[in-house]
Amino acid sequence: MKIQSLRGMPDLFPEDLERWHIFESKLSEIFHSFGTHEIRTPLLESTELFSRSVGNSSDIVNKELYSFLDRNEDSISLRPEGSASVIRAIIQKKQEQEKHKLWYQGPMFRYERPQKGRFRQFHQVGVEYLGFEEGISEYELISMVLQINKLIGISDYTIKINHLGDANAKESFCESLVSFLKPHINELHEKDQARLESNPLRVLDSKEKSTQAILEGGPKFQDFISDESKSFLQNLVDAYSNHCDIQIDQSLVRGLDYYTGIVFETISQELGAQDAFLGGGRYDNLSNQLGGKDMHAIGFAIGVERIVELLTAEINKPSLKVGFIITGQQIDKKTYKIANDLRSANNSIVLDTLLSEGSLKSQLRRANKNNCSYAIIIGEDELINDQVIWKDLSEGGEQELLSSKEVIDKYSNL
């Protein structure tokens, strides 16, 4: 009898990998343009890492982990996702108090039913911003998602976002949801009945029409999160609505227990019923859950098998580098709209949004260290007057005050 590959673990031949190589090349360029650096973690981890991070009640831990005992009778597992391993690595190196912009790629493993673009051994590319509290990093990552979709030629997509509030808001919502659904328990699908007992939030993600009909009259996250969180969610939509189809979806929760705050996913109708190809959110409590110090964190992951089906664009290699410097204490969402407009105007340039604190002098020093040829500087006065400072960073280079439109024109013609 011929030996076959294991179910859901396909071989990738050279003709398959041509599209993968284009995709990987483009992503590497995009991550570099955002100042994000690669990290690599092991395929095998302690099973406890995933039970503590993803949650014992999740389908991943209950049914989908590839776990076994090693010779020391310790339970180890093939990684089912990347964020927990990255956080574990940062804790192990005692770097929770530092800021990190990281990306990873590689195979993941889940024992689920194989279907189109979804396998038991699958590949993910992920991005993790660590040490950045809610605000700047959300805008940065959504801008990155837009650039990924643009550079690989995906035009028919929707970004869905929601806000889960903090841990207390999430807990209060779950209690209200359980109270609402208990009288309807016999009307729920068997799978949703089990979720109600183990992980109530996952009921919101149900694909059963009968369950969704019941949920229409149930509690909404918007009634439990703060006005500040609601405003932040709406500001994200306002900032990017002219660039893509971005929608607030109060049923969006994502499948992993560690999410709090903003969650988001990107879907394309071209992929059929399983239409999501990118998803993520904020998980500020994960480091603490894994025994580390408190650390702000947000990230997303891309399903490679799914997204290469949509790949149509050619490679554009960035060359020139421009530093984007913010000096004001209270920065409006307009700042990030300008950054996104610049990237849209000329995606062959690396726009280095520094995301750093400190004086203008120190940020200019960092821009020079990062080999930027020019700097775009925005402070509170410039923001009020809808202007920016354009500075030539070469020796003896001059600077000029430009309108937002003028700087985009100048940037597009570099």
Side-chain angles (χ1 to χ4, degrees), residues 182-328:
K182 280 291 187 183
H184 302 277
I185 187 104
N186 293 327
E187 304 170 51
L188 297 176
H189 187 273
E190 182 179 345
K191 182 184 292 187
D192 293 328
Q193 292 179 10
R195 285 174 170 173
L196 186 61
E197 295 297 326
S198 62
N199 190 351
L201 278 182
R202 292 304 309 280
V203 178
L204 298 182
D205 203 29
S206 174
K207 299 297 187 277
E208 299 296 327
K209 292 183 179 180
S210 57
T211 298
Q212 289 299 329
I214 295 170
L215 287 171
E216 287 182 5
K220 308 297 181 187
F221 261 112
Q222 294 287 300
D223 298 327
F224 292 82
I225 63 176
S226 67
D227 290 340
E228 183 180 5
S229 295
K230 294 176 188 176
S231 176
F232 183 65
L233 190 65
Q234 188 59 51
N235 283 342
L236 282 171
V237 172
D238 294 343
Y240 291 101
S241 58
N242 290 332
H243 300 278
C244 66
D245 181 14
I246 181 168
Q247 305 173 3
I248 296 173
D249 181 353
Q250 294 190 42
S251 67
L252 179 64
V253 293
R254 303 293 301 157
L256 308 182
D257 283 4
Y258 53 61
Y259 285 118
T260 56
I262 289 289
V263 291
F264 56 93
E265 69 179 21
T266 306
I267 64 172
S268 172
Q269 299 302 320
E270 297 177 35
L271 289 171
Q274 296 291 332
D275 54 4
F277 62 88
L278 180 153
R282 179 163 289 278
Y283 47 95
D284 287 348
N285 300 324
L286 183 53
S287 177
N288 187 270
Q289 288 174 223
L290 297 178
K293 298 177 181 177
D294 289 337
M295 179 172 61
H296 297 294
I298 185 172
F300 65 78
I302 305 167
V304 178
E305 283 84 354
R306 303 189 67 74
I307 204 169
V308 293
E309 296 180 29
L310 305 175
L311 184 62
T312 61
E314 296 299 323
I315 296 175
N316 292 309
K317 186 175 182 179
S319 52
L320 198 63
K321 195 169 187 178
V322 176
F324 189 82
I325 296 175
I326 303 168
T327 64

Side-chain angles (χ1 to χ4, degrees), residues 339-355:
N340 189 72
D341 288 345
L342 290 168
R343 288 192 172 105
S344 298
N346 193 340
N347 59 39
S348 67
I349 298 174
V350 176
L351 185 66
D352 191 356
T353 48
L354 302 178
L355 293 184

